[in-house]
Amino acid sequence: MKKFLKVVLLLLIPFFFLFLFLVYFVVIDTFEQRQYALSQRNTTTYVNESLELQPNYSGYFNYLVGVEIPEGEYKIIPNGENETSQAQISLDEEGHRLNILASQTIRNGKTHAFYFKVKNGQYLYLKSGAIAIPLIHASPYTAMDGKYVLDGQYKVGFDIPAGDYKLVYRPDKKNNSGKASITNGLISDKDVDSKFETVDTETPSKVITLSKGQYIEIQQCIIEPI
C-alpha cells in the first residue's frame, strides 16, 4: 500500500508544479493588464501651450509629449558616436511592455533612420544617444547613384521619390534573405496597412511601386532605380 501511495505521489508532483506555474502566469498577466488599464486611465492630457519646437532632441531622456516635446512626426537618427541607439514610444513613463507602441534600434553607419509620430500624453524615450528631429527640420536621405543602401525606413516623397523601383537582395553571412515593409502610415498609428516583400538568392530582385505618403523599411536589401 505504501509503495502504491509513493508511486501516486511521484505521478502527481509534475501536475502540482504545472498547476503552480499556471497560477503564477495568470496572476502576473492579470497584474500587467491592470497596470495597462491604469496607465490608460491616468494618461495626462496637460499640454504646455508655450512649448517651442527645437531643431532636435537628443540625449538619454524620456520626453513627455506635450510637456517636454511637441506632438508630431520625428525622424529618429543615430548620434554618430554610439554603435547602436534606441527609441521608443510608450503610454507610460516606465515603458511597460503592454504600453509600448513602437520601438526601434538604430545602428550607426548601417541604419538610415526611423520615423515616429507622437501624441500628447505619450512618452518618447531616446536611449543611447538617439536623436529625434522634427520633420520640418529634418533632411532627406541622399541616394548614392540613385541607390538606397542603408537599412531602415524611408519616407516616400521626402527621402525617396514616388515611382517604380527594383528591390535587390544584398548578400550577407548571417541572413539569407532581404526584407522590405511598405506601409501607408507609421507603426505607432492604428489601422496601418502593410505590404511585405522578400528577396533572396532564388529571387534576387523584384519590382516595387512606391506612392507619396508611404513609408518603406528595408533590411538586407537595396532599393535601385529601374
Side-chain angles (χ1 to χ4, degrees), residues 56-162:
N56 63 73
Y57 298 82
S58 60
Y60 306 77
F61 198 76
N62 200 5
Y63 294 91
L64 175 56
V65 183
V67 177
E68 297 162 316
I69 186 173
E71 68 175 1
E73 186 172 348
Y74 291 82
K75 187 173 186 177
I76 312 296
I77 64 172
N79 64 0
E81 298 177 1
N82 297 347
E83 184 177 350
T84 60
S85 303
Q86 291 180 302
Q88 175 180 291
I89 305 174
S90 177
L91 294 175
D92 71 320
E93 188 173 5
E94 289 74 25
H96 186 271
R97 68 179 182 87
L98 293 177
N99 287 338
I100 296 175
L101 301 178
S103 181
Q104 294 288 2
T105 298
I106 309 163
R107 297 178 300 165
N108 187 36
K110 296 182 179 180
T111 305
H112 161 238
F114 286 100
Y115 287 89
F116 279 3
K117 185 182 291 183
V118 293
K119 299 178 182 179
N120 292 333
Q122 296 177 348
Y123 287 85
L124 175 62
Y125 190 11
L126 301 177
K127 304 178 184 180
S128 305
I131 299 174
I133 304 176
L135 188 59
I136 61 171
H137 293 305
S139 300
Y141 178 79
T142 302
M144 295 181 287
D145 298 325
K147 298 179 180 180
Y148 299 78
V149 299
L150 294 179
D151 286 354
Q153 196 173 44
Y154 298 85
K155 183 180 177 73
V156 183
F158 182 70
D159 294 307
I160 180 172

